[in-house]
Amino acid sequence: KQLPQQSRFNPLFCKLLAHRISIQEPGRRVCGGNFAGQALSSMLGYSLRMPWPPVKPYPKFTFPAILLALPHPTAPLAALISGCTPPLAETTTFYPPDSSGPYTPSATTFTFTDHRGKTIRAEMWYPTDDDCEPFRYPEIPIAGTACRDANRFGESWPLVAFSHGFSGIRYQSIFMTEWLASHGYVVVAPDHEFNTMLDLDEDYTAQVALERPGDISATVDAVSGAFPGLVDDSRFVMTGHSFGGWTTNVVAGGTADMQALADFCSIDDSYDLCNLEIDASAMLESGPDPRVIAAISMAPAGWYSFSDFDGMAPMLLMGGESDESESIEAEIQPLYDRLPAPKRMAVLAGAGHY
C-alpha cells in the first residue's frame, strides 16, 4: 500500500516463491506471506522470460508479474526485480506455477575446446517438439523430465547460463534447467574442471576460481558454434548457486579483486573464500561478460572479494533464512547492500543452503 498504484507489487509473485519471504528494496519490505506450492523452480521459470524478438513457431507467454512486450530488453527483469506489475497484453498466454510450459524439455551433452585451450564438457537444455520419454543423465543415474538428444526446432531462443556450486555438477539443478526449457529457453551449464563431484581436487580450487567466469563465457560462445541459429547469444541471463553464485556475480558485472580478498581475510579469515589462498596479484582469466542483461545469484559467497559492483546487471539475489554456510547476515545482506539498483533480494524462510 506504500507503493504507487501503477507499481503495486503483485501478490502472485510471492506465491511463486512458495515460502514466507521478504522482498526488499532499500529500507522497505513490500511483500510477505506464507504460501505453499512450487519454490525455486517456479520462481525462476517465470522470472526470466525476456522480450526476445518473437520467432515462429513458438508463441509469447508470460506471467502476471512479468510482461514480454516491453520496449527494452531488460524491462521485464527490471519490472520483476522492482516488484512492479506492468499491464498485460491481450495476446498473453499464461501458465500456472504448478505446471510445466508448452514444450517438452530435452538435454544434450557437448564438449568443446575454448580459446584458452581448455576442454569443457557442457550440458544444454532446449525445447523440443518431439514426443519422447525422459532419459537418464550421463555419469550419474538420475532422470528428470528431459529427453536426450531430441529434435531441435525454432531459432534465436532466449539463453540462460548456469554455474554449478562447489563439488556440484553441470546438471545439479535440473528442477530449474528442465523447467526453463519447457517454457521456451535454452539453458547451458559447463562442468567447472576439478570442482565437480566427479573430479574434485581442492588443490586446484584457487585456479578454479580464476577460471570459472571464463568457463561461462566460453560455453555461451560455443553454443552458437555447435548449434547454429538455435539461440540469440548476443545477450543472456546469468545464474548460479553458491560458488556458482560468486561466478554469477563476476560474469554479471562485479569487479573481482584478489587484493581486496587478501586485505579482508587478513582481518577476518573465518569466511569461506579466505580458504582459497589466492595470490593477491592473481588475475581472473575472464571477467564480466557485457552480454549479460540480468542475473539471479543464489546463495553466493564472497562479497568481500570484489572492489566494486558499478557495472552489475540487474540482480535478483536469493538466500536461505537458515543457511549456515552463506548466511543472510554474513554474506547475502552485505552483498545486497553493495549492489547498485535495480536489485531485489528474496529470503526463503526456513530454507538452508540447498
Side-chain angles (χ1 to χ4, degrees), residues 58-331:
Y58 64 90
K60 297 186 294 181
F61 27 73
T62 184
F63 196 73
I66 306 124
L67 176 67
L68 281 178
L70 292 176
H72 191 273
T74 61
L77 264 295
L80 169 70
I81 297 172
S82 66
C84 297
T85 304
L88 299 175
E90 292 182 1
T91 58
T92 298
T93 302
F94 298 104
Y95 293 89
D98 59 350
S99 69
S100 297
Y103 304 107
T104 299
S106 182
T108 191
T109 304
F110 66 102
T111 303
F112 65 95
T113 300
D114 69 7
H115 67 281
R116 301 169 296 180
K118 182 176 182 177
T119 299
I120 295 176
R121 175 174 290 182
E123 202 76 10
M124 182 179 76
W125 295 264
Y126 56 93
T128 182
D129 55 358
D130 275 1
D131 182 13
C132 50
E133 297 296 325
F135 197 80
R136 294 191 307 179
Y137 284 84
E139 300 115 2
I140 298 174
I142 63 170
T145 62
C147 307
R148 293 297 297 176
D149 303 318
N151 177 59
R152 295 182 294 274
F153 78 108
E155 58 185 13
S156 297
W157 298 95
L159 181 63
V160 179
F162 174 78
S163 177
H164 67 73
F166 185 93
S167 190
I169 197 165
R170 62 189 186 276
Y171 46 79
Q172 68 172 46
S173 299
I174 58 175
F175 65 90
M176 179 181 71
T177 54
E178 292 180 348
W179 184 279
L180 290 174
S182 80
H183 284 274
Y185 295 88
V186 170
V187 186
V188 291
D191 274 342
H192 298 293
E193 189 179 22
F194 302 126
N195 202 231
T196 78
M197 62 177 63
L198 301 177
D199 68 355
L200 181 64
D201 188 334
E202 296 192 31
D203 290 340
Y204 286 90
T205 302
Q207 175 183 325
V208 167
L210 299 176
E211 294 181 2
R212 270 175 161 264
D215 294 347
I216 295 296
S217 294
T219 302
V220 171
D221 292 340
V223 171
S224 289
F227 310 99
L230 185 65
V231 300
D232 176 2
D233 67 353
S234 68
R235 50 187 175 176
F236 66 96
V237 166
M238 181 65 210
T239 186
H241 172 258
S242 194
F243 205 175
W246 181 86
T247 307
T248 294
N249 296 342
V250 176
V251 178
T255 303
D257 186 335
M258 298 305 106
Q259 184 62 58
L261 174 62
D263 292 346
F264 181 89
C265 294
S266 68
I267 300 171
D268 184 351
D269 64 359
S270 65
Y271 286 72
D272 281 355
L273 263 63
C274 295
N275 297 321
L276 290 181
E277 299 181 356
I278 298 179
D279 188 283
S281 63
M283 301 291 290
L284 271 71
E285 292 190 359
S286 179
D289 192 314
R291 295 172 292 181
V292 176
I293 66 168
I296 297 179
S297 185
M298 298 178 282
W303 58 267
Y304 41 86
S305 64
F306 293 85
S307 56
D308 71 68
F309 297 95
D310 292 346
M312 185 65 73
M315 172 68 76
L316 175 60
L317 178 62
M318 302 183 69
E321 183 184 48
S322 302
D323 190 338
E324 297 181 359
S325 176
E326 317 305 341
S327 70
I328 301 300
E329 295 76 15
E331 290 283 4

